C-alpha cells in the first residue's frame, strides 16, 4: 500500500480539497489537531470520504491495502509569522513521521527563505521529498506565489502598474482569514481598528487589493470579502487570474513517482 505524507499550511486547504475531490482511488487520512476544522467542513460538504487519526498513530497507516494512502498533516497559520519557528516545526514533523511513508510533499514555499534546502536536507530518507515548485523548477515564494502559477507572474503582479503602489493580495483563504493574517504579519495588533490599520497600510505604501481568483469556490464569500476589504481601506481593486496548477502538478508528480517505484501507475 504505497503512501504519501503531506505536511501543509492551513492556507492551502482549498487546493487540497480540490485535489481530493478529483481523486477516486485514495484512502485519505487526516491527522487530528486544532487546524483541521475548516478542511473537514469542506470535505464533508462535498462528500469527500476521509478518516481521522491521532498524531500518535501516524506510524500505523490504517488505510486500505489496495488504495493509495494519503496522510494529511495540517500546521497552524501562526508559524508563517516566524520563519525560524516554521522551519523547526516543519522539519520536526518530517523527522518524527517521514520514515513511515513512501514519499513526502510539503505544501509550503520558501517562506522567508527558510525552507529552500528542505529537499536536500531530507535526502537521507531515500524517498521522494518535495516542496512546492513551479514548472521551471523554482520553489514558490509563498501561498500567493503558488496561486499565480509561477514566480514570474507573481513578480510582475507585485511590481504593479504604478511605481510606489503596493498591492495586498487575497486568495480565497487569505480573504477568509484576513484579520488573523494582518495580526500575524505584524501589520496591526487590532484588525478591527480600521483607522489604525489603514494608517499602517498607507505608511507601508499599500494602495491596492489584489483579488487572486484560483477558480476554487469552497470559500463562498470571496467576492464580497474582497469588496469589503477594498472599501474599508480605500484600496483600488486589481483582479488576477490564478490557478491550482502548481499544487495539482506537484501532487500528481510525486504520486506517480511513488506508484512507479511500487510497480503501479497513476489511478
Amino acid at each position: 500500500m504505497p503512501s504519501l505524507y503531506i505536511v501543509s499550511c492551513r492556507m492551502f486547504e482549498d487546493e487540497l480539497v480540490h485535489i481530493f475531490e478529483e481523486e477516486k482511488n485514495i484512502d485519505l487520512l487526516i491527522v487530528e489537531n486544532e487546524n483541521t476544522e475548516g478542511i473537514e467542513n469542506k470535505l464533508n460538504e462535498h462528500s469527500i470520504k476521509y478518516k481521522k487519526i491521532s498524531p500518535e498513530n501516524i506510524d500505523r497507516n490504517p488505510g486500505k491495502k489496495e488504495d493509495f494512502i494519503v496522510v494529511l498533516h495540517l500546521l497552524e497559520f501562526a508559524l508563517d509569522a516566524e520563519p525560524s519557528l516554521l522551519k523547526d516545526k516543519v522539519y520536526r514533523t518530517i523527522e518524527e513521521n517521514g520514515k513511515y511513508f513512501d514519499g513526502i510533499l510539503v505544501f509550503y514555499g520558501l517562506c522567508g527563505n527558510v525552507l529552500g534546502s528542505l529537499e536536500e536536507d531530507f535526502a537521507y530518507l531515500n524517498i521522494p521529498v518535495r516542496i512546492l515548485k513551479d514548472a521551471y523548477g523554482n520553489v514558490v515564494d509563498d501561498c500567493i506565489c503558488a496561486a499565480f502559477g509561477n514566480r514570474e507572474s507573481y513578480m510582475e503582479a507585485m511590481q504593479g502598474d504604478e511605481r510606489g503602489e503596493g498591492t495586498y493580495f487575497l486568495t480565497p483563504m487569505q480573504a477568509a482569514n484576513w484579520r488573523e493574517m494582518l495580526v500575524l504579519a505584524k501589520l496591526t495588533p487590532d484588525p478591527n481598528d480600521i483607522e489604525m490599520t489603514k494608517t499602517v497600510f498607507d505608511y507601508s505604501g499599500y494602495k491596492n487589493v489584489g483579488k487572486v481568483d484560483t477558480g476554487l469556490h469552497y470559500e463562498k464569500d470571496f467576492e464580497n470579502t474582497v469588496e469589503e476589504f477594498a472599501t474599508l481601506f480605500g484600496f483600488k481593486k486589481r483582479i488576477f487570474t490564478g490557478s491550482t496548477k502548481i499544487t495539482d502538478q506537484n501532487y500528481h508528480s510525486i504520486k506517480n513517482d511513488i506508484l512507479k517505484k511500487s510497480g503501479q501507475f497513476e489511478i
Side-chain angles (χ1 to χ4, degrees):
M1 51 180 180
S3 59
L4 171 65
Y5 185 43
I6 297 178
V7 179
S8 177
C9 176
R10 262 196 66 204
M11 195 56 71
F12 284 105
E13 67 180 39
D14 283 3
E15 287 82 358
L16 289 162
V17 173
H18 169 68
I19 288 171
F20 301 143
E21 189 172 21
E22 296 290 313
E23 284 281 48
K24 303 302 180 186
N25 294 296
I26 67 168
D27 200 9
L28 176 60
L29 308 175
I30 307 289
V31 178
E32 192 170 10
N33 60 32
E34 67 277 6
N35 306 306
T36 64
E37 181 180 357
I39 196 167
E40 285 186 51
N41 288 338
K42 292 169 185 175
L43 292 170
N44 292 335
E45 182 179 351
H46 293 272
S47 301
I48 302 170
K49 295 181 180 179
Y50 65 95
K51 300 172 187 173
K52 292 194 284 187
I53 59 173
S54 70
E56 294 77 21
N57 289 333
I58 290 177
D59 61 322
R60 299 183 186 177
N61 283 344
K64 299 175 185 176
K65 292 185 178 181
E66 65 271 20
D67 286 344
F68 184 78
I69 296 172
V70 177
V71 174
L72 173 61
H73 199 153
L74 285 180
L75 304 182
E76 60 267 28
F77 284 146
L79 296 172
D80 295 357
E82 299 291 344
S84 60
L85 293 179
L86 169 61
K87 181 177 181 179
D88 180 68
K89 183 63 175 285
V90 170
Y91 272 53
R92 186 155 35 87
T93 300
I94 294 173
E95 287 163 356
E96 290 174 355
N97 305 310
K99 57 184 175 289
Y100 304 120
F101 299 89
D102 299 307
I104 300 168
L105 180 55
V106 178
F107 271 59
Y108 279 96
L110 293 172
C111 297
N113 228 20
V114 297
L115 296 179
S117 63
L118 182 141
E119 293 183 2
E120 293 80 6
D121 293 340
F122 287 101
Y124 71 87
L125 291 175
N126 294 315
I127 59 172
V129 179
R130 311 271 173 80
I131 189 169
L132 293 179
K133 296 178 182 175
D134 65 18
Y136 303 103
N138 301 308
V139 178
V140 300
D141 291 63
D142 49 32
C143 58
I144 301 294
C145 181
F148 270 95
N150 60 69
R151 292 190 75 245
E152 183 178 358
S153 297
Y154 182 42
M155 294 301 175
E156 289 176 0
M158 283 200 298
Q159 290 173 2
D161 298 325
E162 298 183 36
R163 186 177 296 276
E165 288 199 1
T167 298
Y168 191 86
F169 295 103
L170 294 176
T171 62
M173 275 293 289
Q174 285 276 353
N177 299 279
W178 69 263
R179 285 180 168 83
E180 183 176 354
M181 300 315 295
L182 288 182
V183 174
L184 291 174
K186 298 181 172 60
L187 281 170
T188 177
D190 182 5
N192 294 314
D193 187 336
I194 301 303
E195 287 305 313
M196 179 183 69
T197 305
K198 187 177 186 306
T199 299
V200 174
F201 271 137
D202 289 342
Y203 181 79
S204 303
Y206 286 106
K207 303 294 182 183
N208 311 294
V209 56
K211 178 187 177 187
V212 187
D213 191 347
T214 59
L216 301 180
H217 303 288
Y218 302 113
E219 291 291 343
K220 303 295 190 296
D221 295 325
F222 184 35
E223 177 66 37
N224 291 336
T225 303
V226 174
E227 290 288 348
E228 177 192 29
F229 192 92
T231 300
L232 285 174
F233 300 111
F235 285 170
K236 292 182 288 186
K237 190 169 71 170
R238 301 175 66 200
I239 308 297
F240 299 95
T241 300
S243 74
T244 61
K245 180 170 60 177
I246 284 180
T247 47
D248 290 348
Q249 289 178 347
N250 278 262
Y251 170 79
H252 287 290
S253 175
I254 194 168
K255 180 184 177 185
N256 274 326
D257 287 347
I258 292 171
L259 290 174
K260 286 177 184 176
K261 190 174 181 179
S262 68
Q264 300 181 40
F265 52 87
E266 176 76 81
I267 300 171

